[in-house]
Amino acid sequence: MTSQSMSDGESRLARGRRALAEIDGEAGHAVVAALADIAPDFATYLFEFPFGDIYSRPGLTLRDREIATIAALTAMGHAAPQLRVHIEAGLNVGLTREEITEIIMQMAVYAGFPAALNGLFAAKEVFGRRFPPAQDGVSAGSPASASPPPGAT
Amino acid sequence: MTSQSMSDGESRLARGRRALAEIDGEAGHAVVAALADIAPDFATYLFEFPFGDIYSRPGLTLRDREIATIAALTAMGHAAPQLRVHIEAGLNVGLTREEITEIIMQMAVYAGFPAALNGLFAAKEVFGRRFPPAQDGVSAGSPASASPPPGAT
Amino acid sequence: MTSQSMSDGESRLARGRRALAEIDGEAGHAVVAALADIAPDFATYLFEFPFGDIYSRPGLTLRDREIATIAALTAMGHAAPQLRVHIEAGLNVGLTREEITEIIMQMAVYAGFPAALNGLFAAKEVFGRRFPPAQDGVSAGSPASASPPPGAT
Amino acid sequence: MTSQSMSDGESRLARGRRALAEIDGEAGHAVVAALADIAPDFATYLFEFPFGDIYSRPGLTLRDREIATIAALTAMGHAAPQLRVHIEAGLNVGLTREEITEIIMQMAVYAGFPAALNGLFAAKEVFGRRFPPAQDGVSAGSPASASPPPGAT
Amino acid sequence: MTSQSMSDGESRLARGRRALAEIDGEAGHAVVAALADIAPDFATYLFEFPFGDIYSRPGLTLRDREIATIAALTAMGHAAPQLRVHIEAGLNVGLTREEITEIIMQMAVYAGFPAALNGLFAAKEVFGRRFPPAQDGVSAGSPASASPPPGAT
Amino acid sequence: MTSQSMSDGESRLARGRRALAEIDGEAGHAVVAALADIAPDFATYLFEFPFGDIYSRPGLTLRDREIATIAALTAMGHAAPQLRVHIEAGLNVGLTREEITEIIMQMAVYAGFPAALNGLFAAKEVFGRRFPPAQDGVSAGSPASASPPPGAT
């Protein structure tokens, strides 16, 4: 057994809280807050297992881990809220908009065009919120398209 | 409607109507009503096969059957409207809020955290509608959290 | 746009544009327009591979191809926007409302009742938009149900 | 067997048996026989609902129904035994090998290349069994490839 | 936070080992052993989260938890080895063969007939191994079928 | 083969062939060879779209692309042959055994423990074939486990 299961559950929780804050930022806090009155223990598990155990492991960078997560959530297709959180998380840990777009496009090969299209529109929504046109007129992959046609989606 | 619902088919239909009313209550009627102008025969099949045939079999209690259905719909992840109907159905046939929450949390093991999270938020919505805070300030698993933070999800 | 769409790629692109316009009509254009500022190359791929390559093959009629697509999207369950586009596409290439309803109902056998129900409600939405009650009071499979109960779904 | 298969249920059962024999042939009988000692009632449901109810409906030809089923089973990806049965069923109701191959190839667009590849290899297996090289050296789409390289899959 | 996150990781591991042994028996040990040279930490997580955390929670009996797991694994369709382990686990914690058969049959409603059929054949295999015909000629639901036809599946 | 592979299509094809050879090695050739007598055009599409178009794009390294593909195929769960090919491909483009194991373990969070377990056993099989114990007694993550217990899986 490796070192990560030596210290107590408390430190898994603390480590998970730190990792969740680093990776998911505000979106992670919102999910945990929303669990408070339905399943507070599940928030604990969410801190402990995915973030305290898995994301805290040394064998892969957080950037690489988010490539894996964005790919999987796009391909699975039924986890739109989590995909949006992890597109934002990808930006938080160093992926560029272009790289995230590439990952999602690639999923057309493995999970079909609908899954990739839905992923791209999720990315468009997250990028639009994070990089509003006024402050940043350059959208991913297409410098000239600062003004999207209204209602196009 | 075709000939198959005439004699014993009629009793499958009647048995299915009774079972659907007992299990799904109003939500079941709404689904059947919504089918009336697009596929009325499908409403008949819905009465007959799932409810007249399967849910009417003696080998398993309705409580056990709803454990199975809530688990499956949470794990499959693409059937949110039906999951909400069956969370309500689970309450109708004797599952407590705590038990439903346990079933959904367990799905994190088999279908991942996103499927479980989406299931928990579906349960939160159903519980909130069925047990409004004013009449019942005690929410599942967390006595102190009667007032959920607005917009947390 | 990259170099691959220059000479014969151009003709795949042109062929794909023609096929997309014939099959998906306005809905196809809206998807392509929505891709412009996030992943314009993906719009090119969408023209080229699905429409320029696959739908343009001679071995199957467009009507048969839309039967396959409507069935698959209903069964997969996580591609609601694409299912609506292809229910409309099915009508564009000669499928009747009754035939589309039959295809979707059949999916209850292979993907379960929730997938079929969600598909039927998608069809109801598309049919209602394309054949508004005022001009066409006859809805699929049920001549008498021109006025659906409000909020039934 | 329970009471529901007595009078008109009997005719659903009879109709379903006839439809199953026509569509699935020997493969259908094998499935039903294999159910005999684990869940004989399920064999009855299999006759009655998919075949007695759905496949017996007049709104769609059996050829069209098999296009839908082959597409859905290929796209879903986890039902290999049933896909093989329905590739054979497609041949039974008039689809050619070329048409079945087209349907499966198209699924690359909607469910990704792995699902389509696995479907094509299932078709290769069924076609090889049904049209052995000695009697029919012409395989689908490639006249020259009568002798496949051993172990290539 | 509830009491289960108080003691240290060591006790989660110990509690998980005990729960895994009680529920999965030999099959659980085989999975853990097989992980030893590829991902030993994953065996630790398997003890700790599913078994030390989730299955050890007091809110649901092990029998109820196995109903949920068998239903989910049947419906998801891509986890055949785990389904066989949990059909056996279901027997270990008090489900009868008839009850397990009912749960799996019910999945035809939610995930389609292929998923249910594949689940029933998995159950047939597990029951046949656990209750060999010589010692127990009565198979689930069909007293007369002690000798299944060879090669029927 | 149709006309689309003539001039620039030819270069997509050539580029795809080169990329497939670099990424998938022998396994890619085997898949293409197996398609020859069932759907030779599909082999062309496989060269052109996934490899000639997507994997040849400059926005992401091949190492990053294989992280995404291994994650997605593990999470989807129904593409075991393709997952094995891409575990090998990951090794070809620079991922270590430890990194591949990390990616697959992480999928327990998003797609559940069964999908991750099946992915780990696929990796064990590929690693065992590629790094036979005699030449390389050190298996991923566990130096002491050179001799796996027979039949443990």
Side-chain angles (χ1 to χ4, degrees), chain B residues 34-83:
Chain B
L35 286 168
D37 62 342
I38 171 89
D41 289 356
F42 200 75
T44 305
Y45 296 143
L46 191 66
F47 284 128
E48 289 182 339
F49 176 60
F51 293 96
D53 287 344
I54 297 291
Y55 279 88
S56 298
R57 292 175 61 85
L60 212 58
T61 65
L62 287 180
R63 181 186 169 279
D64 287 348
R65 290 197 182 278
E66 286 301 332
I67 294 175
T69 299
I70 291 168
L73 292 174
T74 300
M76 295 175 76
H78 63 256
Q82 288 76 28
L83 177 56

Side-chain angles (χ1 to χ4, degrees), chain F residues 50-71:
Chain F
F51 293 96
D53 287 343
I54 297 291
Y55 280 88
S56 298
R57 292 174 62 85
L60 212 58
T61 65
L62 287 180
R63 182 187 168 280
D64 287 348
R65 290 196 183 279
E66 286 300 333
I67 294 174
T69 299
I70 291 168

Side-chain angles (χ1 to χ4, degrees), chain A residues 70-104:
Chain A
I70 291 168
L73 292 174
T74 300
M76 293 174 76
H78 64 256
Q82 288 77 28
L83 177 57
R84 283 191 296 267
V85 167
H86 280 280
I87 288 169
E88 188 121 27
L91 295 168
N92 292 343
V93 301
L95 288 169
T96 66
R97 279 178 281 177
E98 284 77 8
E99 288 172 326
I100 290 169
T101 304
E102 287 294 328
I103 297 161
I104 297 174

Side-chain angles (χ1 to χ4, degrees), chain D:
Chain D
M1 203 179 302
T2 54
S3 61
Q4 92 260 7
S5 55
M6 260 184 287
S7 65
D8 177 68
E10 192 73 51
S11 79
R12 285 174 75 229
L13 183 60
R15 191 170 58 226
R17 280 184 197 277
R18 233 188 358 261
L20 180 66
E22 179 183 354
I23 298 165
D24 283 0
E26 276 310 300
H29 286 297
V31 168
V32 167
L35 286 168
D37 62 343
I38 172 88
D41 289 355
F42 200 74
T44 304
Y45 297 143
L46 192 65
F47 284 128
E48 290 182 339
F49 176 60
F51 293 96
D53 287 344
I54 298 291
Y55 279 88
S56 298
R57 293 175 61 85
L60 212 58
T61 65
L62 287 180
R63 181 186 168 280
D64 287 348
R65 291 197 181 279
E66 286 301 332
I67 294 175
T69 299
I70 291 168
L73 292 174
T74 300
M76 294 175 76
H78 64 256
Q82 289 77 27
L83 177 56
R84 284 191 296 269
V85 167
H86 280 279
I87 289 169
E88 188 121 26
L91 296 169
N92 293 344
V93 300
L95 288 169
T96 65
R97 279 179 281 176
E98 286 76 8
E99 288 171 326
I100 290 170
T101 304
E102 287 294 326
I103 296 162
I104 296 175
M105 285 172 56
Q106 185 174 323
M107 291 303 105
V109 175
Y110 298 102
F113 277 71
L117 277 170
N118 293 337
L120 288 172
F121 293 137
K124 182 175 171 165
E125 188 190 321
V126 172
F127 296 168
R129 214 165 44 217
R130 182 127 162 183
F131 308 97
Q135 293 143 252
D136 179 353
V138 183
S139 62
S142 176
S145 60
S147 54
T153 315

Side-chain angles (χ1 to χ4, degrees), chain E residues 107-134:
Chain E
M107 291 303 105
V109 175
Y110 298 103
F113 277 72
L117 277 169
N118 293 336
L120 288 172
F121 293 137
K124 182 174 173 168
E125 188 189 322
V126 173
F127 296 167
R129 213 164 46 214
R130 183 129 162 181
F131 307 99

